[in-house]
Amino acid sequence: MAEPERTTERRLRPAPLIFEPSEAAADPEHFFDLESIEDPVELLARSTELTLAFRAATDRAVEYQALAAAQLADPRRFDRLTPADIGERAGWTEDYARKMIEFGRGLLAGGDSTSG
């Protein structure tokens, strides 16, 4: 997993992810109706929108992970967790958990960029 990095540029607002009905999600060939698009220009445009949306969602989720890790490791908490404990819960190495804790502390100190 890449190192967490905070970007200072304004986030682009990609196309919203639209959740698929459960019957469509059950079909392994179905993916956001892309398989039904025959025009390659339209297919490229829509699949690019989805790619950008998923990347933006990933970036936001990583920021929330870092915030949670920093909060769980806060020495003022009586029930704080060690980086090893946080790493185990998140499926990270202890070293990566430390980096995420620091990243989260930076986000907390600089203001919560995930709120808008």
Side-chain angles (χ1 to χ4, degrees), residues 9-42:
E9 63 189 47
R10 186 166 173 80
R11 283 194 184 101
L12 296 175
R13 293 286 181 188
L17 294 177
I18 300 170
F19 292 97
E20 299 183 280
S22 58
E23 62 273 3
D27 179 2
E29 296 299 315
H30 186 83
F31 188 72
F32 289 89
D33 210 27
L34 293 179
E35 70 286 345
S36 69
I37 300 174
E38 294 184 18
D39 177 14
V41 172
E42 184 183 344

Side-chain angles (χ1 to χ4, degrees), residues 7-80:
T7 58
T8 55
E9 63 189 47
R10 186 166 173 80
R11 283 194 184 101
L12 296 175
R13 293 286 181 188
L17 294 177
I18 300 170
F19 292 97
E20 299 183 280
S22 58
E23 62 273 3
D27 179 2
E29 296 299 315
H30 186 83
F31 188 72
F32 289 89
D33 210 27
L34 293 179
E35 70 286 345
S36 69
I37 300 174
E38 294 184 18
D39 177 14
V41 172
E42 184 183 344
L43 178 60
L44 179 61
R46 181 61 183 142
S47 59
T48 300
E49 287 176 349
L50 285 170
T51 299
L52 295 173
F54 283 120
R55 285 180 187 158
T58 298
D59 290 346
R60 287 224 34 199
V62 168
E63 287 182 355
Y64 279 107
Q65 284 182 310
L67 289 169
Q71 291 169 346
L72 289 169
D74 188 335
R76 297 171 295 185
R77 289 177 63 111
F78 76 92
D79 60 345
R80 72 181 169 271

